[in-house]
Amino acid sequence: MFRSLFAFVFSIFISVSAAANAEPPITIGLIHFSPPLSTDMDFGPTLKHLQAFFAPRKVVAKVYQSPELEKAVEQGKIDFFFASSGFFYRMQPFGARDLATIVTAAKTKPNFGTAGVFFTRRDRKDISKFEDMKGKVLVANYKTAFHGYRTGMAELENRGFNHEKFFKKVIFAGEKASAIINDIIAGSGDVGFVRACWLEEYELQNISVMDKLKVIGAKPGPIKCLHSTRAYPNNTFAATYKVDPELAREMTLALLSMKPEKDGQAWSIATDFKPVDDLYRSLKVGPYQYLREWSVKRVLTEFWPAFLIVILGIVGLVVHSWRAQKLVDRATTRLLAAEESRRRTLEKSRELAEKIEAQQKINLVGQLSSMFAHEMNQPLAACKYFVDGLKALRKQKRVPDEEMLDFSLGQMEHELKRASQIVNKVRDYSKKTVTREARVDLTSIVQEITQTLKVKFNNTVVVDVRCAPDVDVEGDPVETEILFWNLLKNAMEESQKVECPEVWVVLKTDEDSAILTVENSGRKLSAEDVAKLGTQTFKSEKSEGLGLGLVVVRSILEAMNGAIQYAPRDQGGLKVTVRLKRKI
């Protein structure tokens, strides 16, 4: 009897065990978290609890890299998975359903269990706030890492920055936080970004890092770790679409019934995944990847207010056009009447313009003639001077040596070339083709004119020349030569009115100007005399005339955007200061 009862019970036990063993194992996919692992990342205690809860049915867990876990969820190869809240949120379109969220003693609120932290080397004085990170090199985990990259990029977007253009370069060092920290300490990158609590966990492992690093933009909050971003729901346990609802219910009961470990690891339910949704929307990735692509529907959805404004504008334009046409019809009659009056006025204006143009041509011919006569006299007089010298030598029946002959011929050639340039310049004036953008060596011009005038005045005038080297101005070479020839010649002529004629020439520069000062000894001038120099035209006490030369000087300086100042010298004579724009 007893043997029969024992056999019956044993057969039932064997049947139950066989039935249990016949059920497929419960498969759980674990995303690979980079070491060091926090309490909320260590699935070991939970796995032991689940294996005991579902025994004798097997519960097996396998660690996946992020891309492989995505495929396993999409293809339904696993029943459940444990990953970041960001990873879970991306899996919702494939039927994933969150069951519970992990909590610990340090992270008691499931809605606020994870964040990110920006950091740099402690000796980087140039980086202390978010704005200082712009244009620097960032080192992070990998592009799709929720904890180790995307939470940081969302923080930049929330602060008004474009995360895709914020950093000069982004280096993805992989999953190991140690690689990121080492890159920053070694100087391979400027700014690092890791999951909040990683830095503190390194310190707990007796790896001294906080004396070498500093956190950027630390925030207060429910997470008891240094962090720079807003907080998001903690790591989440979710079911895939292939899981039977009854098994999902049992799994939820199993998780929520787990007693807290000594480190506080337990399970709760997160109720606010909106921050995760906001993150993906701001970055335009995951479920909001479509925001990077345009379609007719999206254009209408995004810009319907603009389309409404355009339609109302078109209607308004139609109404306005109708009303405007009525007003145009009324005004047309008045305009036709006014048109005849305007035509007669234009005819009179045309006749007057022709008279003014004719008068301007007469004035231009007069100005060109005066300039031609005044400026041509100088090179021709110089040529005559050398010819008279050669004639004088011939009358004395003296044969000039080769050096003197070469010098005379060279000077005559130079003056004739200058006369030709003056003729061409007058022709340019008449055609209005003058340009003043050439580089003119002012130092060489001043020195050459001074040397020529010394000879012209038979070295009777003591000339002190001090020129800064390589002073270039923007202008026309011929005009510049005419300008300074007149100034230096006038100075030498005026200096001869006293017993010891002297002329001082100084050429210097400042930041953007060339400054030429010409001073001469001479009779004392009053302020009224100096004021007239800039305005008188053909009135002069000298036989050669002073007025026209100064008119030419003033005209050239106005064309070159230069300036001139006259001032009497206390000892007698005149000081002239010319300022021209340098060409650097």
Side-chain angles (χ1 to χ4, degrees):
M1 178 69 180
F2 178 76
R3 289 183 178 179
S4 299
L5 180 61
F6 177 79
F8 176 73
V9 173
F10 183 75
S11 63
I12 294 175
F13 175 77
I14 294 297
S15 300
V16 172
S17 299
N21 291 331
E23 289 186 285
I26 299 172
T27 55
I28 302 175
L30 306 178
I31 197 166
H32 180 267
F33 288 117
S34 303
L37 296 180
S38 301
T39 304
D40 54 347
M41 293 182 171
D42 184 6
F43 195 74
T46 300
L47 180 59
K48 290 181 181 179
H49 170 74
L50 294 179
Q51 287 173 338
F53 185 90
F54 285 99
R57 186 174 182 181
K58 289 185 178 181
V59 178
V60 295
K62 180 182 178 181
V63 177
Y64 293 84
Q65 298 291 334
S66 178
E68 286 72 24
L69 185 57
E70 287 185 25
K71 291 181 181 179
V73 173
E74 293 174 12
Q75 298 172 6
K77 293 182 177 180
I78 55 177
D79 299 313
F80 303 95
F81 64 89
F82 175 65
S84 67
S85 57
F87 181 91
F88 153 70
Y89 206 78
R90 285 194 291 117
M91 295 299 102
Q92 287 187 109
F94 303 103
R97 173 71 167 82
D98 65 302
L99 301 182
T101 298
I102 200 166
V103 292
T104 65
K107 303 173 182 179
T108 58
K109 298 180 179 180
N111 286 341
F112 308 101
T114 187
V117 57
F118 287 102
F119 64 92
T120 186
R121 278 190 352 199
R122 189 168 290 277
D123 60 357
R124 289 295 296 266
K125 305 299 183 183
D126 59 322
I127 306 176
S128 58
K129 54 184 183 297
F130 267 78
E131 290 76 7
D132 299 336
M133 298 191 297
K134 189 171 185 179
K136 301 297 190 297
V137 177
L138 174 72
V139 184
N141 286 135
Y142 49 91
K143 195 167 185 178
T144 60
F146 184 76
H147 296 132
Y149 182 65
R150 284 180 170 171
T151 56
M153 300 305 100
E155 186 66 25
L156 292 177
E157 293 287 339
N158 293 338
R159 291 173 178 261
F161 301 110
N162 182 344
H163 80 281
E164 294 179 336
K165 299 181 180 179
F166 186 78
F167 293 104
K168 177 182 177 182
K169 181 182 179 182
V170 178
I171 300 174
F172 294 111
E175 295 187 346
K176 291 186 178 180
S178 58
I180 300 173
I181 294 173
N182 292 336
D183 281 351
I184 299 304
I185 293 176
S188 301
D190 301 309
V191 179
F193 185 79
V194 295
R195 173 182 58 82
C197 298
W198 247 348
L199 298 179
E200 289 87 347
E201 288 157 8
Y202 268 84
E203 286 289 331
L204 292 176
Q205 296 182 5
N206 296 321
I207 302 175
S208 186
V209 293
M210 294 310 296
D211 59 338
K212 301 176 183 177
L213 304 174
K214 63 180 179 180
V215 172
I216 302 169
K219 287 185 173 186
I223 300 178
K224 297 177 182 179
C225 298
L226 293 170
H227 58 286
S228 310
T229 71
R230 70 182 296 180
Y232 297 86
N234 209 342
N235 299 324
T236 300
F237 192 94
T240 65
Y241 68 87
K242 67 169 288 188
V243 174
D244 182 77
E246 181 61 25
L247 178 58
R249 183 186 71 82
E250 292 179 5
M251 181 62 73
T252 305
L253 290 174
L255 293 172
L256 296 180
S257 65
M258 176 179 168
K259 294 181 179 180
E261 297 289 314
K262 60 181 180 179
D263 56 9
Q265 185 184 101
W267 291 87
S268 182
I269 295 177
T271 59
D272 184 13
F273 283 89
K274 186 177 185 304
V276 182
D277 183 77
D278 293 340
L279 178 147
Y280 285 119
R281 180 184 288 273
S282 65
L283 299 183
K284 299 178 182 178
V285 295
Y288 293 101
Q289 181 72 31
Y290 72 90
L291 292 178
R292 295 176 178 269
E293 302 169 357
W294 291 98
S295 63
V296 175
K297 181 179 179 180
R298 185 189 167 196
V299 170
L300 294 175
T301 303
E302 292 280 342
F303 301 107
W304 69 265
F307 284 114
L308 180 60
I309 292 173
V310 170
I311 292 173
L312 293 176
I314 293 173
V315 173
L317 285 174
V318 172
V319 174
H320 175 73
S321 298
W322 174 80
R323 183 174 178 275
Q325 185 60 46
K326 292 295 182 182
L327 295 175
V328 168
D329 292 341
R330 295 176 186 175
T332 300
T333 304
R334 295 195 298 269
L335 289 175
L336 290 175
E339 179 63 23
E340 181 62 25
S341 176
R342 187 183 70 84
R343 188 187 62 77
R344 290 195 296 267
T345 302
L346 287 175
E347 186 66 28
K348 292 180 180 180
S349 298
R350 190 179 299 108
E351 293 175 0
L352 179 60
E354 291 175 355
K355 292 180 181 179
I356 293 174
E357 183 179 357
Q359 186 62 43
Q360 287 178 340
K361 290 181 178 179
I362 294 173
N363 293 339
L364 178 61
V365 171
Q367 291 175 1
L368 294 177
S369 300
S370 299
M371 178 181 174
F372 183 79
H374 182 273
E375 298 303 330
M376 282 294 291
N377 183 56
Q378 295 169 2
L380 293 178
C383 289
K384 184 177 182 301
Y385 169 79
F386 288 110
V387 171
D388 289 344
L390 293 175
K391 284 183 177 180
L393 290 175
R394 184 177 181 184
K395 285 182 180 180
Q396 297 174 8
K397 296 183 178 180
R398 291 173 54 189
V399 179
D401 57 30
E402 291 186 3
E403 182 178 356
M404 179 181 296
L405 185 60
D406 290 342
F407 174 78
S408 300
L409 291 175
Q411 290 297 317
M412 291 173 64
E413 181 181 12
H414 173 75
E415 295 300 330
L416 289 173
K417 181 179 179 181
R418 184 164 173 264
S420 175
Q421 290 175 338
I422 292 172
V423 171
N424 291 332
K425 183 57 58 178
V426 172
R427 183 182 294 113
D428 290 342
Y429 284 146
S430 64
K431 296 179 179 179
K432 298 182 179 180
T433 59
V434 179
T435 59
R436 299 179 178 90
E437 299 176 352
R439 181 184 293 273
V440 181
D441 185 354
L442 196 55
T443 302
S444 299
I445 288 178
V446 172
Q447 291 175 341
E448 182 179 342
I449 291 176
T450 304
Q451 189 64 32
T452 302
L453 287 174
K454 281 183 180 180
V455 176
K456 174 179 173 62
F457 286 90
N458 297 319
N459 293 313
T460 58
V461 180
V462 178
V463 183
D464 182 10
V465 181
R466 298 179 184 179
C467 293
D470 303 324
V471 179
D472 293 342
V473 297
E474 187 177 63
D476 178 83
V478 177
E479 287 186 343
T480 307
E481 186 174 343
I482 291 173
L483 168 68
F484 292 110
W485 176 275
N486 278 286
L487 290 177
L488 295 172
K489 175 174 170 290
N490 287 342
M492 290 187 178
E493 289 177 343
E494 288 297 312
S495 69
Q496 290 186 319
K497 294 184 178 180
V498 295
E499 185 174 351
C500 296
E502 290 183 89
V503 172
W504 299 270
V505 179
V506 178
L507 177 62
K508 59 183 181 179
T509 62
D510 59 12
E511 291 184 359
D512 57 356
S513 300
I515 305 169
L516 178 71
T517 303
V518 180
E519 297 186 53
N520 62 271
S521 61
R523 59 189 177 87
K524 286 199 172 185
L525 299 173
S526 65
E528 293 181 358
D529 293 333
V530 174
K532 292 178 181 178
L533 289 177
T535 57
Q536 70 186 77
T537 54
F538 294 94
K539 297 179 182 179
S540 174
E541 297 176 359
K542 297 183 298 180
S543 59
E544 292 186 16
L546 178 65
L548 182 57
L550 293 181
V551 169
V552 173
V553 166
R554 187 176 67 246
S555 175
I556 292 175
L557 282 173
E558 288 176 354
M560 295 176 67
N561 294 320
I564 188 168
Q565 290 181 336
Y566 305 98
R569 298 178 72 248
D570 295 337
Q571 305 88 346
L574 184 67
K575 177 181 179 180
V576 182
T577 302
V578 173
R579 182 181 290 269
L580 290 171
K581 180 181 178 182
R582 290 180 64 191
K583 192 174 185 70
I584 300 176

